[in-house]
Amino acid sequence: MTKHVNLNLLRSLKVLLEECHVSQAAARLNLTQSAVSRHLSQLRELFADPLLIRDGNLLVPTPKALQLQQQLATWFVALDNMMAEEVFEPSLWHGEFVLSSSDYVAQYILPELVNVFAEQSPHLTLNYQLWHPHLIDQLNPSGIHLASSMSLTRPEGVSSLLIGEDRCVCLMSQHHPLAKQTTLCVDDLLAYAHIKIHAGGDKDSFVEQELSKQGLARRITLNVPFFSAAAQALCKQPLLLVTPEHIARHLAVEHELTYKPLPIPTPLDKYWLVWHEKYDKDPSHIWVRNLVRQVMTDVKASVSYDLKS
């Protein structure tokens, strides 16, 4: 028959069997002698056995008590191990970690992450997935451990860490007809077709919102999930791409591109690391997300790099 047992009673029994003396057991347990005596009475009733028989000044354990003593010794060792604070050692970790973000992060930041992981946690298997905004509500079923995304406000329903802020600009070829202009107007935005990046987070829906207030709309001629494809298209066609400034700045270094401020109100985008709250206290997850945050602070391709200056 299953019984509800007070853990303190079992700990008292363990010490009583080790001391075979009520007062000495009470001292070890930091209890009064009368409290330990009450515990012994409850234990005798619980196990239907006297457990300890008085013999002069000593208490002699019964055969049942000796059997329990062996079981308690093993059980309390297991309990103490279970309750002990876990010490996480990255170099010994044989786990899998699922990281999700944009193709831009995959191309320019992930390689550095891989180097750091290989050095500090060589047995780790890193699984990288392309991030889509709708996954914010599916972090648990998707199996994603950590994602980086952008949002004007702190994402709701998940744990998060702010890693940077940025505003969007208009990216184009250095040979684009608008490239020599210092500033752009709304008519300039409407005069040329646009590229839209549809993965990694909402980067430019504010453009449609602002233009619609004026009864206007831009023309999207190319939808792609990859910044690399967008950059190649910009180099070959007189197209425009509204994108975060840190991305525009980095792509302009690698390609014949330039960028201009937008002629419409531009919100301050915030960049977040997000994860399911079940990982808040997980040692391996804490280590990974701190490492990812550090790399994103150090790598020049990241928005977080600007926070250092």
Side-chain angles (χ1 to χ4, degrees):
M1 180 176 65
T2 302
K3 299 180 180 179
H4 297 287
V5 182
N6 187 331
L7 181 60
N8 291 327
L9 285 179
L10 296 181
R11 192 171 292 277
S12 292
L13 177 58
K14 179 177 181 293
V15 176
L16 276 166
L17 294 177
E18 291 170 351
E19 296 294 338
C20 289
H21 198 286
V22 172
S23 61
Q24 293 176 7
R28 281 185 55 186
L29 292 165
N30 198 27
L31 297 173
T32 64
Q33 187 171 337
S34 60
V36 175
S37 295
R38 286 196 303 271
H39 283 185
L40 180 55
S41 296
Q42 294 171 15
L43 287 162
R44 284 168 171 165
E45 181 179 353
L46 179 65
F47 291 106
D49 188 272
L51 299 176
L52 291 164
I53 305 295
R54 182 164 296 281
D55 184 3
N57 293 327
L58 296 177
L59 293 175
V60 179
T62 66
K64 175 68 173 179
L66 293 175
Q67 178 188 0
L68 290 172
Q69 186 175 28
Q70 292 180 340
Q71 295 172 337
L72 286 171
T74 301
W75 189 80
F76 269 99
V77 168
L79 178 63
D80 290 340
N81 289 338
M82 181 177 65
M83 299 302 295
E85 184 176 354
E86 181 180 357
V87 177
F88 176 69
E89 177 49 61
S91 64
L92 303 178
W93 185 25
H94 288 72
E96 177 182 11
F97 196 91
V98 181
L99 178 64
S100 182
S101 191
S102 67
D103 80 298
Y104 176 83
V105 172
Q107 183 172 356
Y108 297 108
I109 300 176
L110 183 61
E112 182 60 27
L113 280 172
V114 171
N115 289 338
V116 177
F117 280 131
E119 178 182 346
Q120 299 188 29
S121 188
H123 307 293
L124 171 66
T125 298
L126 184 61
N127 185 345
Y128 191 90
Q129 297 182 11
L130 193 62
W131 176 254
H132 292 277
H134 72 273
L135 291 174
I136 195 72
D137 298 321
Q138 302 177 30
L139 283 179
N140 186 45
S142 69
I144 294 172
H145 294 104
L146 183 68
S148 66
S149 186
M150 58 185 293
S151 173
L152 296 178
T153 59
R154 182 177 294 276
E156 297 182 357
V158 298
S159 296
S160 60
L161 179 66
L162 180 65
I163 58 174
E165 299 176 336
D166 201 4
R167 294 187 189 275
C168 283
V169 295
C170 187
L171 184 65
M172 66 193 73
S173 167
Q174 292 180 1
H175 309 291
H176 194 285
L178 299 177
K180 294 183 179 180
Q181 295 184 196
T182 303
T183 60
L184 303 178
C185 65
V186 172
D187 287 341
D188 293 329
L189 287 185
L190 301 180
Y192 297 91
H194 289 240
I195 302 174
K196 188 176 182 66
I197 305 292
H198 59 75
D202 179 13
K203 300 175 179 62
D204 61 355
S205 63
F206 72 92
V207 177
E208 275 71 31
Q209 296 171 6
E210 290 297 328
L211 292 177
S212 67
K213 294 177 182 178
Q214 306 176 45
L216 304 172
R218 59 177 177 159
R219 182 167 67 92
I220 305 296
T221 193
L222 177 63
N223 280 279
V224 293
F226 307 123
F227 281 97
S228 56
Q232 293 294 333
L234 288 174
C235 289
K236 296 180 179 180
Q237 296 292 329
L239 301 171
L240 301 176
L241 173 65
V242 175
T243 190
E245 184 174 3
H246 76 278
I247 295 178
R249 181 173 60 248
H250 193 74
L251 292 178
V253 172
E254 294 201 337
H255 305 274
E256 292 185 346
L257 301 175
T258 187
Y259 57 93
K260 309 290 180 181
L262 287 165
I264 57 176
T266 307
L268 181 64
D269 290 316
K270 298 179 184 296
Y271 294 80
W272 310 87
L273 292 179
V274 297
W275 64 92
H276 193 280
E277 63 181 356
K278 69 181 182 180
Y279 295 118
D280 283 354
K281 303 297 184 180
D282 181 72
S284 61
H285 197 282
I286 292 173
W287 178 77
V288 172
R289 66 180 184 252
N290 286 338
L291 185 148
V292 171
R293 182 187 187 185
Q294 183 61 50
V295 170
M296 285 190 166
T297 300
D298 293 339
V299 175
K300 292 183 178 181
S302 171
V303 62
S304 302
Y305 187 79
D306 290 338
L307 298 179
K308 299 169 62 178
S309 58

